[in-house]
Amino acid sequence: MHEKFPRGTLCDCQFPYLPTMINKRFRAARALAAIFLSTAALASSAAATPAVGQFLQILQKQVASDEKDQFAVTGLSTDEHGQQFAAAILTRLGEQKAYRDALQEWLIANAATTQEDLVSNWWRHSQKIRLASFEFLDDRDVSILFRLPRMNVLYGSSREGCQTRSANDTVALLQRTRHSLIDEHKDRLAGVIAAAYVRELARIQNPRPGDRPVEQVQTMRVMAAFKKLGKSLPAADAAILDNEYSYGRRAPGTLQEECDHTWLTTHAILDANVSDASLLRKSVTHAQYSTAFDRLAPARAPLPARPGFTPGKAFVSLPELMVRRDVKGAISVKVSVDEAGNVSGVGAAWNSLIPTHVTSANGETFASLDLLLPVFDKYYRDGKFTPHLVNGNPAPFSFSQEVDWK
């Protein structure tokens, strides 16, 4: 039910597009369910909020033990080197008072039932700040970050090698080069990332007119630089570059072809000397990490449209602990609605959730049903039903829905 990132393997994130051309893939929705829970029970289900120091230790423990959490910090494929890089970033961030203060405020305002949900919610919140902070990185650091994901580490190798190396040799070269880059730059990059993050926090806390570039102007400059870069290349290479950053990208048919195309695009971007080349590098690097972090967005499962129901802002998503413990099953959900069109109860006639109980990383055990309780309850209570009329008069009603997921 959830994406896994095997140790030592390459991230299969889609190659990034330019700012206004990012083709974000939406994952298949997972169906979920919930049973009745009163408002008071919902409020009492949240776990105690940890102190900042305790939560920083939790984050370090998670990146040391869970590959998904490593990926959430770095946006890179997960292995021992990626874990060390993630730990270095968290250490440098934790040294910043502004980061700790912002984390404290967030913890107070964002309670969660399980440690897994709390950590995942923080990753998503933190990633938004991290991505916005790219603006404060210099060209050298952006260039290194650009080289780290996927096959971009091929920059500096020979183009001819794409055709002569075996698939195993190519994979070994990718991993070896990436490890070397991380080991060489992780400590300095961690400090740079932390400093940029704090600068973005300051901008958020004290916004001023004109302190952010105009997005439309930035996009126009990037597109102009991209066109100039294409014109500076041989026609065949320009076609490859255009394909790699287009909506209708044609995926390479073989590893050798992907290697060749990646070699060309990385050298074209990193070696570009057209006007606004540094802005172009920053743009494609930002898009690359944004696309990677998108993989960690909560899986939304919009239910089939219900006549007369207008959803609110709440959406249906499986709690993170259930995702990590691979809970599967089916449930029959019953929703009761009062005369005014407000949900008065959400219940379950039966369910086949397996496993029935799941254990958090901090040792707490939860019934799978209990974790699902707030999901549908919040979704339906946040929306509104058109009052049901019987002989022209509003009347309560209920409906049932069976949900099955694998």
Side-chain angles (χ1 to χ4, degrees):
M1 294 184 61
H2 63 283
E3 300 212 35
K4 300 179 180 178
F5 305 97
R7 296 182 68 84
T9 61
L10 300 174
C11 168
D12 63 354
C13 308
Q14 182 181 354
F15 204 88
Y17 299 135
L18 295 176
T20 58
M21 301 165 62
I22 301 174
N23 181 18
K24 297 183 178 179
R25 296 180 178 179
F26 292 90
R27 301 284 175 181
R30 299 182 180 94
L32 313 170
I35 65 174
F36 170 79
L37 185 67
S38 67
T39 302
L42 277 169
S44 65
S45 67
T49 301
V52 171
Q54 180 185 3
F55 193 63
L56 290 174
Q57 293 177 355
I58 289 172
L59 296 182
Q60 286 283 10
K61 184 176 181 180
Q62 287 297 108
V63 301
S65 60
D66 192 286
E67 293 165 353
K68 188 173 183 179
D69 289 307
Q70 293 175 31
F71 185 86
V73 177
T74 64
L76 304 174
S77 55
T78 54
D79 53 27
E80 181 181 356
H81 297 262
Q83 184 273 321
Q84 293 172 355
F85 188 27
I89 293 173
L90 291 181
T91 296
R92 296 304 295 271
L93 283 170
E95 294 170 352
Q96 309 296 319
K97 183 179 184 301
Y99 176 81
R100 297 194 304 273
D101 290 345
L103 176 55
Q104 182 177 28
E105 292 181 6
W106 184 89
L107 287 170
I108 293 173
N110 293 273
T113 302
T114 70
Q115 177 176 298
E116 282 74 12
D117 278 318
L118 188 64
V119 169
S120 293
N121 291 343
W122 170 250
W123 292 145
R124 288 189 285 270
H125 172 77
S126 182
Q127 284 158 1
K128 294 178 182 178
I129 301 173
R130 166 93 182 271
L131 288 169
S133 73
F134 266 65
E135 183 183 335
F136 300 115
L137 301 178
D138 65 27
D139 193 44
R140 177 185 62 165
D141 297 322
V142 167
S143 296
I144 296 172
L145 288 171
F146 176 76
R147 291 179 60 186
L148 289 174
R150 298 185 76 244
M151 297 183 75
N152 290 4
V153 295
L154 288 171
Y155 177 84
S157 64
S158 68
R159 189 174 189 178
E160 294 75 16
C162 290
Q163 306 304 322
T164 59
R165 285 189 301 266
S166 67
N168 288 339
D169 286 342
T170 297
V171 171
L173 175 62
L174 291 171
Q175 293 180 336
R176 184 170 63 251
T177 306
R178 176 178 166 274
H179 294 167
S180 178
L181 277 172
I182 290 177
D183 292 345
E184 180 182 356
H185 298 288
K186 69 174 185 294
D187 292 330
R188 187 180 59 79
L189 281 179
V192 166
I193 289 170
Y197 191 103
V198 169
R199 290 184 67 182
E200 175 58 23
L201 283 177
R203 186 164 60 176
I204 292 172
Q205 295 164 357
N206 186 28
R208 298 176 181 177
D211 65 353
R212 294 183 187 276
V214 179
E215 183 177 354
Q216 184 177 4
V217 174
Q218 293 287 89
T219 299
M220 291 175 61
R221 291 174 60 188
V222 169
M223 294 302 295
F226 185 79
K227 290 179 180 179
K228 291 178 183 177
L229 177 59
K231 291 179 180 179
S232 70
L233 300 174
D237 288 347
I240 292 174
L241 180 68
D242 186 65
N243 173 70
E244 290 299 308
Y245 289 96
S246 67
Y247 277 122
R249 174 178 180 261
R250 181 183 64 82
T254 65
L255 180 62
Q256 288 77 13
E257 186 179 19
E258 183 176 7
C259 173
D260 180 78
H261 290 189
T262 303
W263 187 96
L264 182 278
T265 55
T266 55
H267 279 78
I269 295 295
L270 293 181
D271 297 342
N273 57 10
V274 298
S275 58
D276 283 327
S278 62
L279 181 60
L280 173 61
R281 282 188 282 272
K282 187 172 294 185
S283 177
V284 296
T285 304
H286 177 280
Q288 189 166 251
Y289 282 87
S290 177
T291 303
F293 288 146
D294 279 348
R295 302 182 70 198
L296 299 171
R300 301 192 180 194
L303 300 177
R306 180 74 191 179
F309 179 65
T310 302
K313 293 183 179 180
F315 57 87
V316 179
S317 65
L318 196 64
E320 184 65 23
L321 180 56
M322 296 186 68
V323 172
R324 298 194 181 206
R325 300 299 179 264
D326 203 23
V327 175
K328 298 180 177 68
I331 193 168
S332 178
V333 181
K334 181 177 181 180
V335 180
S336 300
V337 185
D338 64 18
E339 296 89 340
N342 299 314
V343 172
S344 57
V346 178
W350 56 265
N351 77 88
S352 60
L353 301 179
I354 299 175
T356 58
H357 291 75
V358 288
T359 302
S360 174
N362 63 359
E364 291 185 272
T365 298
F366 301 86
S368 297
L369 275 175
D370 291 342
L371 291 179
L372 281 173
L373 292 180
V375 176
F376 268 42
D377 191 274
K378 183 176 181 181
Y379 173 75
Y380 281 116
R381 291 183 190 275
D382 193 54
K384 181 75 173 181
F385 284 90
T386 300
H388 178 64
L389 300 180
V390 176
N391 297 324
N393 298 313
F397 71 98
S398 63
F399 65 91
S400 296
Q401 184 175 38
E402 184 174 321
V403 182
D404 187 4
W405 71 93
K406 299 179 180 180

